[in-house]
Amino acid sequence: QVQLVESGGGLVQPGGSLRLSCAASGSIFSINAMGWYRQAPGKRRELVAAITSGGSTNYADSVKGRFTISRDNAKNTVYLQVNSLKPEDTAVYYCNLQGRAVWGIQSDYWGQGTQVTVSS
């Protein structure tokens, strides 16, 4: 019903930057918030950044000042600009959408994940 397509992950050196993109499609009725989570090997999935439909943002303490989340409501797309990357940022990054599909209730939807590897 709702699909999230992610792009922009890859291999980058410490201190480098990437821009992750997540485009939502399908029978979307409304979007309350979109965000990014990440999961490193041996760790639980954690919230990295989120943005509401009204533009309010929230960041994990570990990425404040380095990562920036933004959105394009016309395209149902959310971006995560990741700067000053550190090896500990290495993880699978997952896009999340909180919203409603047509005929649905408010729910969370997830992308397949995109790998970000920070290594020299």
Side-chain angles (χ1 to χ4, degrees):
Q1 293 292 99
V2 177
Q3 297 83 41
L4 303 178
V5 180
E6 301 157 326
S7 62
L11 174 65
V12 65
Q13 295 182 357
S17 299
L18 292 169
R19 190 175 79 153
L20 309 183
S21 299
C22 174
S25 63
S27 55
I28 301 170
F29 180 75
S30 63
I31 298 173
N32 183 58
M34 295 184 72
W36 292 91
Y37 290 70
R38 68 185 181 188
Q39 187 167 23
K43 297 184 178 180
R44 66 177 301 276
R45 188 175 298 186
E46 64 176 350
L47 175 68
V48 177
I51 185 167
T52 70
S53 60
S56 179
T57 60
N58 188 44
Y59 297 91
D61 288 342
S62 60
V63 306
K64 287 180 179 177
R66 300 188 297 120
F67 291 10
T68 303
I69 190 168
S70 61
R71 62 184 171 88
D72 184 339
N73 286 343
K75 299 180 181 294
N76 288 337
T77 299
V78 66
Y79 305 93
L80 186 69
Q81 179 70 41
V82 295
N83 298 328
S84 302
L85 284 164
K86 305 174 181 179
E88 51 263 46
D89 294 318
T90 296
V92 178
Y93 284 69
Y94 296 91
C95 182
N96 169 263
L97 182 154
Q98 183 186 81
R100 290 183 58 191
V102 176
W103 300 108
I105 62 173
Q106 185 158 299
S107 300
D108 284 314
Y109 302 88
W110 296 91
Q112 294 296 307
T114 184
Q115 178 72 47
V116 172
T117 302
V118 185
S119 176
S120 59

